[in-house]
DNA sequence: AACTTGACTTCCG
DNA sequence: CCGGAAGCCAAGT
């Protein structure tokens, strides 16, 4: 599901989990992302928490990298927060499921 | 089996 | 709007 998030758009952990058929398992989405093989080259930076904020340790290099990548693709952060109303990815209901 | 830990979310004050 | 409490549930100890 993360791989489907288009350039310049974002999704939340809960949203990813739900779309993957795992309603209410947002933490699992985070767990999966943390353990995902680097080789998959997933656009992990497009996943934010329900408040539109980065969920990596504030001040960490990882958080800084995520912020940079987002801005690099045009996603604006206001006070460290992304306006989900404006950037949230809305998957097409008729999109073919993986597998 | 019991307890702790989270790249989380929602509700309350 | 912010912080805390509670709910959540797979993994790790």
């Amino acid at each position: 599901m993360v791989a489907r998030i288009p350039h310049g758009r974002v999704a939340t952990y809960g949203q990813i989990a739900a779309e993957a058929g795992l309603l209410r398992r947002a933490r699992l989405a985070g767990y999966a992302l943390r353990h995902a093989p680097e080789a998959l080259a997933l656009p992990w930076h497009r996943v934010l928490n329900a408040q539109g904020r980065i969920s990596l340790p504030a001040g960490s290099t990882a958080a800084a990298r995520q912020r940079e990548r987002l801005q690099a693709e045009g996603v604006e952060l206001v006070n460290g927060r992304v306006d989900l109303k404006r950037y949230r990815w809305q998957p097409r209901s008729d999109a073919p499921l993986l597998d």
Side-chain angles (χ1 to χ4, degrees), chain A residues 53-73:
Chain A
R53 327 196 63 153
I54 289 175
S55 277
L56 289 170
S60 68
T61 57
R65 190 178 325 139
Q66 178 166 19
R67 187 168 357 101
E68 291 167 21
R69 291 197 184 189
L70 286 171
Q71 300 181 314
E73 41 186 75

Side-chain angles (χ1 to χ4, degrees), chain A residues 5-94:
Chain A
I5 308 172
H7 177 287
R9 315 238 61 199
V10 302
T12 66
Y13 295 95
Q15 181 185 349
I16 291 301
E19 282 161 14
L22 301 172
L23 192 60
R24 266 173 269 168
R25 271 175 258 189
R27 302 191 90 126
L28 185 57
Y31 177 91
L33 221 43
R34 164 160 283 294
H35 294 79
E38 178 72 33
L40 292 180
L42 293 174
W44 56 272
H45 59 285
R46 296 176 188 150
V47 185
L48 304 169
N49 62 32
Q51 306 163 69
R53 327 196 63 153
I54 289 175
S55 277
L56 289 170
S60 68
T61 57
R65 190 178 325 139
Q66 178 166 19
R67 187 168 357 101
E68 291 167 21
R69 291 197 184 189
L70 286 171
Q71 300 181 314
E73 41 186 75
V75 176
E76 181 181 1
L77 281 85
V78 181
N79 290 319
R81 196 168 79 252
V82 170
D83 183 349
L84 294 179
K85 287 192 166 313
R86 186 155 70 152
Y87 294 100
R88 187 198 284 279
W89 167 52
Q90 318 249 273
R92 289 165 32 213
S93 55
D94 62 347

